[in-house]
């Protein structure tokens, strides 16, 4: 019945893209509610700050690894099967997370859960890349990744003390089951017909210079964002906020950040992709500098707000640049791999820098990595022109 209903939906329509966005967001929840997860690991499972950071890194490493595998099979594996199998396994491993709280076993289970969810997330990114104009799709997709986690984080900040870690996981498992029901929507996103990339090996697409630069840029950017996001809740506490107040601010700001994605939907490619991306990355650095230098509740709110809104604005342009390089979805999915590789590395590196409750070194690192990702992305237009001239 759901399969028949999905076939009547327009793949370019808002409802289809919203369903794709929801599935991808649920698959990526280990990143999108990372501050709450890190806090829950510390407060309810008894891990210290650096251990919680390592567990998060392991979880995100699982997401990253599966996206690499999917990127090499994007043209061969049906996306609806990738998403449905991934979500089914995610349910299994998240159920196991309720029972295995020993550090070693818990880390293994979280890694496997990350791999399973990453498959659903990768399928979502690849599906949107197959549209002739991907900006709207990625705007809605990224909007989902900010709006729905914001609602979730606000609820969890209010109720986590009573439901604790296992209660939170039961809610997440319920959402995964709902996402599983919606996976037939992927059948509306076949490979584009008569596309030059269809006969090109995935590895060749990935290693062309423009694509490779985009992959490196996203990896660096992923490390910058996750390093801050993992400790956003604790940075708020360092700015004289309570745990509850910090969580509420993060949730509200995350919801407001949808405005960044909405702006992308409105602008589309009116100014190309590089110029808006550059402006967003510069704004993100400004937010980080505010976060580092104004250790007050208002400074924290403005800093994390600027950082988060810029993040929501930049992401669709990163993905649209990659979709413009390859419409099969191979480069987009590979980009999600390198971004998540950075996401996994960011909290791990930051864990070495936040000793004694000092977060400035980690913020400085994030500023430098964000600037580096901008420099890398600025090289793509000239690299693409050179590639087209050669061909």
């Amino acid at each position: 019945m759901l399969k028949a209903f999905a076939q009547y939906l327009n793949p370019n329509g808002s409802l289809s893209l919203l369903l794709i966005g929801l599935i991808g967001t649920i698959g990526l929840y280990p990143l999108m509610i990372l501050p709450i997860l890190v806090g829950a690991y510390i407060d309810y499972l008894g891990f210290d700050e650096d251990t919680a950071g390592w567990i998060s890194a392991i979880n995100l490493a699982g997401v990253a690894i599966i996206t690499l595998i999917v990127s090499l099979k994007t043209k061969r594996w049906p996306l609806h099967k990738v998403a449905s199998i991934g979500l089914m396994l995610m349910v299994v491993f998240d159920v196991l997370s309720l029972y295995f709280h020993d550090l070693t076993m818990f880390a293994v289970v979280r890694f496997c859960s990350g791999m399973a969810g990453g498959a659903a997330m990768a399928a979502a990114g690849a599906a949107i890349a197959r549209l002739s104009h991907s900006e709207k799709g990625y705007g809605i997709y990224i909007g989902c990744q900010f709006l729905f986690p914001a609602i979730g984080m606000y609820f969890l900040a209010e109720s986590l003390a009573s439901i604790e870690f296992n209660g939170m996981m039961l809610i997440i498992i319920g959402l995964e089951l709902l996402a599983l029901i919606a996976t037939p929507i992927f059948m509306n996103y076949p490979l584009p017909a008569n596309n030059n990339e269809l006969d090109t090996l995935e590895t060749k697409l990935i290693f062309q210079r423009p694509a490779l630069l985009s992959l490196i840029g996203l990896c660096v950017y992923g490390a910058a964002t996750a390093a801050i996001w993992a400790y956003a809740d604790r940075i708020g506490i360092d700015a004289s906020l309570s745990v509850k107040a910090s969580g509420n601010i993060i949730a509200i700001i995350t919801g407001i950040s949808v405005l960044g994605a909405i702006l992308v939907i409105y602008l589309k490619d009116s100014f190309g992709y590089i110029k808006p991306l550059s402006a967003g990355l510069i704004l993100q650095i400004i937010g980080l500098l505010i976060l580092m230098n104004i250790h007050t509740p208002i400074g924290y709110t403005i800093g994390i707000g600027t950082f988060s809104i810029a993040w929501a604005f930049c992401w669709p342009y990163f993905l649209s640049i990659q979709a413009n390089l390859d419409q099969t979805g191979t480069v987009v999915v590979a980009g999600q791999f390198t971004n998540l590789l950075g996401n996994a590395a960011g909290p791990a590196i930051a864990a070495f820098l936040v000793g004694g409750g000092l977060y400035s070194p980690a913020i400085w690192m994030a500023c430098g990595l964000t600037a580096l990702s901008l420099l890398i992305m600025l090289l793509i237009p000239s690299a693409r022109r050179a590639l087209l001239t050669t061909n």
Side-chain angles (χ1 to χ4, degrees):
M1 181 178 176
L2 287 167
K3 180 178 177 181
F5 173 73
Q7 290 176 342
Y8 286 103
L9 294 178
N10 177 6
N12 290 284
S14 297
L15 180 56
S16 294
L17 294 170
L18 181 62
L19 290 173
I20 293 288
L22 285 170
I23 293 168
T25 298
I26 291 169
L28 196 57
Y29 85 81
L31 174 63
M32 298 317 300
I33 63 166
L34 186 56
I36 297 293
L37 285 175
V38 169
Y41 295 156
I42 295 168
D43 295 336
Y44 302 107
L45 299 186
F47 300 130
D48 55 29
E49 288 192 355
D50 59 341
T51 301
W54 275 106
I55 291 172
S56 298
I58 290 168
N59 195 177
L60 292 171
V63 182
I65 288 170
I66 195 64
T67 54
L68 175 61
I69 296 170
V70 173
S71 73
L72 297 175
K73 299 292 183 179
T74 306
K75 294 186 288 185
R76 296 170 176 79
W77 289 354
L79 295 182
H80 70 281
K81 289 186 177 180
V82 172
S84 58
I85 292 172
L87 285 168
M88 284 190 286
L89 291 174
M90 197 178 197
V91 169
V92 171
F93 288 113
D94 281 354
V95 168
L96 292 176
S97 296
L98 301 172
Y99 300 100
F100 294 100
H101 294 169
D102 170 76
L103 177 57
T104 302
M105 282 301 301
F106 187 72
V108 170
V109 169
R110 297 312 300 155
F111 174 80
C112 293
S113 173
M115 286 193 69
M121 182 273 297
I128 297 171
R130 293 176 179 181
L131 299 173
S132 56
H133 292 281
S134 60
E135 305 86 13
K136 176 185 175 181
Y138 285 126
I140 292 175
Y141 180 34
I142 301 305
C144 288
Q145 289 189 358
F146 282 85
L147 179 59
F148 293 104
I151 296 170
M153 286 193 291
Y154 184 83
F155 170 78
L156 290 172
E158 294 289 328
S159 61
L160 198 56
S162 58
I163 65 174
E164 299 188 349
F165 176 78
N166 278 11
M168 175 183 67
M169 291 306 301
L170 286 172
I171 294 170
I172 291 170
I173 290 165
L175 293 172
E176 291 164 1
L177 291 171
L178 289 175
L180 183 59
I181 295 172
T183 52
I185 192 65
F186 284 99
M187 299 180 73
N188 291 349
Y189 295 84
L191 284 167
N194 301 320
N195 188 280
N196 293 332
E197 287 87 11
L198 289 176
D199 297 324
T200 305
L201 289 174
E202 287 89 344
T203 49
K204 183 176 180 181
L205 287 171
I206 290 170
F207 286 105
Q208 288 177 341
R209 190 162 176 254
L212 190 59
L213 284 170
S214 75
L215 300 181
I216 296 170
L218 261 179
C219 181
V220 173
Y221 183 68
T225 52
I228 299 303
W229 199 236
Y231 291 98
D233 182 62
R234 301 292 134 170
I235 295 172
I237 295 171
D238 187 54
S240 303
L241 289 163
S242 67
V243 173
K244 182 178 179 180
S246 177
N248 284 341
I249 288 172
I250 291 172
I252 293 168
I253 288 298
T254 304
I256 294 173
S257 298
V258 173
L259 295 173
I262 291 173
L263 183 58
V264 174
I265 297 171
Y266 173 75
L267 291 177
K268 296 183 180 178
D269 58 352
S270 301
F271 299 97
Y273 299 144
I274 294 295
K275 289 180 180 178
L277 177 63
S278 301
L281 290 173
I282 292 169
L283 185 64
Q284 200 160 3
I285 292 172
I286 292 171
L288 289 170
L289 293 174
I290 293 171
L291 200 61
M292 181 170 55
N293 291 292
I294 306 178
H295 295 277
T296 64
I298 187 65
Y300 173 79
T301 302
I302 295 172
I304 201 69
T306 304
F307 169 85
S308 185
I309 292 171
W311 185 7
F313 178 77
C314 290
W315 241 117
Y317 283 113
F318 271 112
L319 296 175
S320 293
I321 287 170
Q322 293 186 321
N324 197 39
L325 295 174
D326 157 50
Q327 208 177 342
T328 68
T330 298
V331 176
V332 167
V333 178
Q336 291 182 89
F337 160 70
T338 59
N339 177 69
L340 286 160
L341 194 64
N343 289 158
I349 298 170
F352 288 108
L353 302 175
V354 296
L358 296 175
Y359 298 100
S360 292
I363 298 174
W364 269 122
M365 178 194 74
C367 287
L369 292 177
T370 303
L372 178 58
S373 70
L374 172 58
L375 291 176
I376 294 170
M377 298 305 288
L378 288 173
L379 297 174
I380 291 177
S382 60
R384 191 175 189 195
R385 285 193 296 269
L387 179 65
L388 293 173
T389 301
T390 302
N391 292 338

